[in-house]
């Protein structure tokens, strides 16, 4: 009986450690290239060292973390070329999500999307890039929820976590929110019109724009 309980705690501990690590990377609390010290993570997350190691191994498989000989585990640095490849993959997946969202959106969903259009527009008018970035993430998350494409959403989540450094740089780049706003409004307009083909194309156009912006980053 105790073995089963231990196994359950170990599995739960691993899940907790993975979620906390993902959040730390997404928020920028752990920077690309930063070494992960197991003892510190045990203290921060309140899980066993075994759970931390299991979580790190899982995230290595996902490509978020890498293990370097004589150094240990660290958050993997993604090159510009890799970032572009990730965005090209996202373009296909997010285009699918936009098309499905256009097909499946309910009146309540469309009301939520109109709300995001207002939030994004207001953030640009206020000159609040971080507020815009937050609303941007929520919009993409909501579209995925509406689409009901669990597999695509999971894949996008794994891809996005490797893009944190570039996403942060883009969010603070002068003029980027203004460009992005029109692209997001085009996606929302197409979804509201129940035009799946137009929604997919608008989303793909948006990701093409992001790819260009990433290539221009210093």
């Amino acid at each position: 009986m105790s073995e089963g309980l231990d196994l359950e705690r170990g599995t739960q501990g691993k899940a907790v450690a993975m979620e906390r690590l993902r959040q730390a990377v997404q928020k920028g609390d752990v920077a690309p290239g930063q070494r992960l010290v197991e003892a510190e993570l045990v203290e921060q997350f309140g899980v066993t060292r075994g759970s931390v190691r299991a979580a790190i191994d899982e995230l290595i498989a996902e490509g978020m973390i890498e293990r370097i000989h004589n150094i240990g585990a660290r958050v993997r640095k993604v090159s510009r070329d890799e970032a572009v490849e990730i965005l090209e993959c996202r373009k296909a997946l997010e285009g699918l999500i936009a098309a499905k969202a256009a097909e499946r959106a309910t009146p309540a969903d469309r009301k939520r999307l109109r709300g995001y259009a207002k939030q994004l527009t207001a953030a640009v008018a206020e000159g609040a890039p971080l507020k815009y970035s937050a609303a941007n993430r929520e919009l993409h998350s909501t579209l995925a929820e509406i689409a009901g494409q669990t597999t695509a959403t999971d894949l996008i989540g794994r891809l996005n976590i490797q893009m944190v450094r570039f996403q942060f740089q883009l969010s603070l780049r002068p003029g980027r929110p203004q460009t992005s706003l029109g692209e997001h409004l085009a996606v929302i307009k197409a979804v509201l019109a129940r035009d799946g083909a137009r929604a997919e194309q608008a989303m793909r156009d948006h990701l093409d724009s992001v790819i260009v912006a990433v290539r221009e980053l210093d």
Side-chain angles (χ1 to χ4, degrees), residues 74-91:
R74 68 181 186 184
V75 177
R76 192 170 73 87
K77 290 183 178 180
V78 174
S79 69
R80 190 192 311 270
D81 287 344
E82 285 181 285
V84 169
E85 289 181 10
I86 288 169
L87 288 166
E88 288 172 342
C89 292
R90 272 188 54 192
K91 182 168 69 171

Side-chain angles (χ1 to χ4, degrees), residues 23 60-61 64 75 111 114 138-139 148 168 172 175 186 190 206-207:
Q23 290 177 356
I60 287 173
M64 190 188 88
V75 177
K111 182 177 180 180
R114 292 188 187 97
E138 291 177 12
L139 170 61
F168 183 73
L172 298 178
H206 166 56
L207 269 298

